Amino acid sequence: MKKGKVSGKKELIEIIKKRGTIPFSEFMDITLYYPELGYYTSDKSKIGGKGDFFTASELDPVFGQLLAKQFVEIYEKLNTKKFKIVEIGAGKGYLAYDILSTLKNEYPKVFENITYVIIEKSPYHIKIQKELLKDFENIDWKQDIIDFKDNEIEGIVFSNELFDAFPVELIKKKNGKIYQIFVKIDEENNLYEIEKEATEEILRYLKELNINIPEGMTTEINLGAKDYIIKIGKKLKRGYVITIDYGYPSAELYKPYRMKGSLLCYYQHKYSENYWENIGLQDITSHVNFSALSYYGKLEGLETVGFTDQAHFLTNLGLMEIFEKLQEIGDYKAYERMNRLKTLVLPKGMGEKFKILVQAKNVKDTNIKGLDIIPPQTDRYKL
Ligand SMILES: C[S@@+](CC[C@H](N)C(=O)[O-])C[C@H]1O[C@@H](n2cnc3c(N)ncnc32)[C@H](O)[C@@H]1O
């Protein structure tokens, strides 16, 4: 594939010309995941300074180190020789690297007894991950969660910023009726949207989750996330599902002050609402509906254990103790690191924006350290 501004726009236009219209989710799927040309499948830098956005694992190893600590508690609780840590959507692999390094250095017995499996859709990211993680032997890659047998996994299935990268349907309420957005092109190959009556599947989703969006609202429905959490539930025999991402419960997500929904595009660290530009070159993401993950997970035996935010989760796992140690050291480097750690927990920033949903299946005493103290149960936290 040629490097540079090859973006998949030509392929997108060909597909729409052939089909007439495509649902918004398919437009998003093509722009993000079209083989070799989509945003996530191309060899363009995405995460980090040279990319379009930062993730927590890119900022500082502490995120992976504290997660590793949480995983050790779960390992001891489950007490099985078949313990797997399954990470879905590992990006550049930093989180896997920090978790595996922490286990190897601080919990060698646990390290020897686990298998780490990455499920990754992007061949570009798999290549980077394999290079970074080449010194670890107990690691394996799969393309999809369906590559596991039903009830095969004992351990943890987790993700950081996975579901926000799923293609979503756009819906709109007009005169009390729900419409679905489709994408079309005009004679000059400009993209534009039209509305059609929403499918049965979308209407069922809204009914099952008891969602009644306000008149005039345009918002997203992540049917892919629904299907995926059901699949995870089927593959997990015993253990935990830990989902880290930005988002809200239904009660908050569809409040009238979000009349335009939460869809955003990221390009070179700037965000916009214009998904028609930079096709295949910019990220398109939406907030995760955590009520949906909780509800559909339950259908496959995943019981919700708790729902918290990153600040509470990391503090419960010992972030403040790390701050204190850095303060004691007190040199320039220590203060620089303290600033990075603050970014992870700042209210109004990552600390509150990022949520953690913990679900468990076939576990008796489900309490874990990361949920010791949870935020006040306002609409932002009630699933
Ligand atoms: C926003 S990045 C998050 C990266 C990483 N977790 C981190 O913390 O830096 C999303 C990742 O999920 C991957 N991805 C998206 N959909 C996926 C799917 N259905 N299965 C597996 N990986 C997927 C993308 O290729 C990308 O690596």
Side-chain angles (χ1 to χ4, degrees):
M1 185 198 128
K2 271 186 262 155
K3 280 197 177 176
K5 283 219 161 196
V6 182
S7 72
K9 186 167 181 185
K10 209 175 97 218
E11 289 71 12
L12 173 73
I13 286 170
E14 284 310 311
I15 291 169
I16 303 179
K17 268 189 185 156
K18 232 184 251 166
R19 303 254 308 273
T21 60
I22 56 170
F24 185 83
S25 60
E26 210 175 321
F27 159 78
M28 201 167 152
D29 192 39
I30 295 167
T31 64
L32 295 182
Y33 300 106
Y34 192 87
E36 294 188 16
L37 301 174
Y39 177 74
Y40 277 106
T41 40
S42 72
D43 57 4
K44 170 189 179 291
S45 195
K46 305 159 221 307
I47 312 172
K50 290 186 185 147
D52 305 293
F53 57 91
F54 279 105
T55 60
S57 55
E58 182 93 13
L59 268 182
D60 194 276
V62 79
F63 191 66
Q65 288 161 358
L66 293 176
L67 264 182
K69 208 165 144 186
Q70 181 58 86
F71 292 174
V72 170
E73 187 196 4
I74 294 177
Y75 171 87
E76 280 158 3
K77 215 183 248 289
L78 295 193
N79 191 20
T80 165
K81 290 218 160 59
K82 294 181 185 157
F83 198 88
K84 283 192 177 65
I85 299 176
V86 180
E87 179 179 2
I88 313 173
K92 285 158 82 175
Y94 285 5
L95 203 46
Y97 183 88
D98 295 335
I99 291 168
L100 283 166
S101 304
T102 309
L103 294 180
K104 190 174 178 184
N105 299 331
E106 292 177 38
Y107 308 93
K109 281 227 168 81
V110 179
F111 180 76
E112 278 165 26
N113 282 311
I114 60 132
T115 312
Y116 200 102
V117 184
I118 291 183
I119 300 179
E120 177 57 61
K121 188 170 169 173
S122 157
Y124 163 79
H125 277 150
I126 292 175
K127 210 167 104 199
I128 298 178
Q129 292 158 12
K130 286 198 167 162
E131 179 55 29
L132 180 71
L133 301 164
K134 61 179 184 298
D135 293 336
F136 296 104
E137 282 170 8
N138 50 351
I139 182 163
D140 203 0
W141 274 262
K142 289 189 190 292
Q143 269 221 319
D144 200 309
I145 187 86
I146 56 168
D147 297 336
F148 283 105
K149 295 191 203 89
D150 283 359
N151 287 314
E152 182 182 340
I153 307 169
E154 286 183 65
I156 299 161
V157 179
F158 86 101
S159 62
N160 180 45
E161 295 203 45
L162 168 75
F163 290 113
D164 71 73
F166 274 24
V168 291
E169 297 298 349
L170 271 190
I171 61 161
K172 192 171 194 168
K173 191 170 188 178
K174 255 170 63 180
N175 301 324
K177 212 168 164 182
I178 301 291
Y179 292 88
Q180 184 182 350
I181 306 292
F182 279 70
V183 180
K184 253 188 123 143
I185 44 169
D186 65 17
E187 277 120 37
E188 274 135 33
N189 286 345
N190 295 309
L191 298 158
Y192 68 98
E193 55 192 50
I194 58 159
E195 292 155 11
K196 293 188 188 184
E197 274 185 32
T199 59
E200 274 303 309
E201 195 184 7
I202 291 174
L203 297 178
R204 203 179 320 121
Y205 177 99
L206 294 173
K207 201 168 162 207
E208 281 169 344
L209 293 176
N210 219 356
I211 298 168
N212 186 9
I213 63 169
E215 179 66 26
M217 176 181 264
T218 302
T219 191
E220 315 84 31
I221 299 291
N222 196 335
L223 295 175
K226 165 192 156 182
D227 293 343
Y228 214 97
I229 197 74
I230 291 173
K231 283 185 206 157
I232 295 174
K234 281 200 169 88
K235 303 301 171 187
L236 186 70
K237 182 179 178 193
R238 194 162 73 96
Y240 285 77
V241 181
I242 300 182
T243 305
I244 309 165
D245 218 318
Y246 39 88
Y248 294 110
S250 297
E252 179 65 34
L253 199 56
Y254 306 112
K255 284 232 158 101
Y257 50 76
R258 283 198 189 83
M259 288 304 272
K260 284 161 80 186
S262 70
L263 207 69
L264 276 185
C265 310
Y266 286 89
Y267 184 60
Q268 296 176 346
H269 295 276
K270 285 191 212 89
Y271 70 86
S272 86
E273 291 174 2
N274 189 353
Y275 34 78
W276 301 136
E277 63 183 12
N278 298 316
I279 303 276
L281 300 171
Q282 67 179 2
D283 190 17
I284 311 179
T285 91
S286 69
H287 278 41
V288 173
N289 182 340
F290 283 100
S291 303
L293 294 181
S294 172
Y295 177 88
Y296 290 110
K298 216 172 267 174
L299 301 184
E300 284 299 331
L302 302 178
E303 290 301 328
T304 294
V305 180
F307 182 57
T308 185
D309 58 30
Q310 190 165 292
H312 283 81
F313 191 72
L314 296 181
T315 307
N316 287 334
L317 290 169
L319 189 70
M320 288 312 144
E321 287 76 354
I322 297 174
F323 261 117
E324 279 161 22
K325 275 190 200 143
L326 288 169
Q327 215 151 17
E328 267 167 39
I329 298 170
D331 61 10
Y332 174 75
K333 256 188 155 172
Y335 275 100
E336 213 179 36
R337 181 152 194 231
M338 279 163 72
N339 276 337
R340 284 206 303 277
L341 302 196
K342 270 187 218 155
T343 313
L344 290 175
V345 290
L346 276 181
K348 306 279 166 235
M350 285 180 107
E352 212 176 78
K353 198 170 137 198
F354 278 82
K355 307 294 191 319
I356 290 118
L357 174 67
V358 181
Q359 294 161 291
K361 185 172 175 184
N362 294 327
V363 179
K364 268 198 192 123
D365 167 21
T366 52
N367 286 338
I368 53 169
K369 200 163 171 36
L371 295 172
D372 269 358
I373 297 173
I374 54 168
Q377 294 300 289
T378 59
D379 275 356
R380 290 182 171 234
Y381 294 95
K382 273 190 281 182
L383 290 170

